[in-house]
Amino acid sequence: MTLDRDLTATVTFDENTPHRVRLYGQPPTYYPTLQEAYGHSVAGDTIQVWGIDLNESLACGNSADVKIKGGYDGPYLYQTGATTVGGLTVGRGSVIVERLIIR
């Protein structure tokens, strides 16, 4: 591209939403929302989440004990930050959280 005059450009970035949340395992299972991943979890599962601001509140009603680990980078190699959620309600079971900010 040659910039020989004033130009207007529009750039669109598509977030890879189907892979924002995953249930750790071999192979891992990916979900677009934390609530959906929690809904498929069983006792002892670990849910990993990208270090982003999720526009959702999580309602935990399973009797399962799960871990939610936030702040991951895109390929889930490092926890470089934190994950923010709008709220967290635990009705049954237990939830251990790591690097999760609850607004």
Side-chain angles (χ1 to χ4, degrees), residues 13-48:
F13 296 96
D14 292 326
E15 184 179 352
N16 187 2
T17 55
H19 292 98
R20 298 192 300 187
V21 184
R22 77 176 188 176
L23 281 174
Y24 179 78
Q26 294 300 327
T29 309
Y30 295 91
Y31 299 94
T33 68
L34 186 54
Q35 189 68 57
E36 189 174 350
Y38 178 80
H40 287 91
S41 67
V42 296
D45 274 348
T46 298
I47 301 170
Q48 298 174 311

Side-chain angles (χ1 to χ4, degrees), residues 20-103:
R20 298 192 300 187
V21 184
R22 77 176 188 176
L23 281 174
Y24 179 78
Q26 294 300 327
T29 309
Y30 295 91
Y31 299 94
T33 68
L34 186 54
Q35 189 68 57
E36 189 174 350
Y38 178 80
H40 287 91
S41 67
V42 296
D45 274 348
T46 298
I47 301 170
Q48 298 174 311
V49 190
W50 284 352
I52 59 175
D53 185 2
L54 293 174
N55 191 22
E56 65 176 293
S57 293
L58 177 61
C60 302
N62 296 346
S63 58
D65 301 328
V66 299
K67 293 180 184 175
I68 300 173
K69 298 172 78 174
Y72 279 93
D73 60 359
Y76 291 97
L77 297 175
Y78 304 103
Q79 284 177 285
T80 57
T83 301
T84 303
V85 296
L88 174 65
T89 303
V90 180
R92 294 187 313 176
S94 69
V95 178
I96 297 171
V97 298
E98 179 181 306
R99 295 185 181 231
L100 191 71
I101 299 169
I102 303 164
R103 279 190 257 124

Side-chain angles (χ1 to χ4, degrees), residues 1-8:
M1 175 188 307
T2 302
L3 298 176
D4 57 358
R5 64 187 185 290
D6 289 343
L7 297 172
T8 301

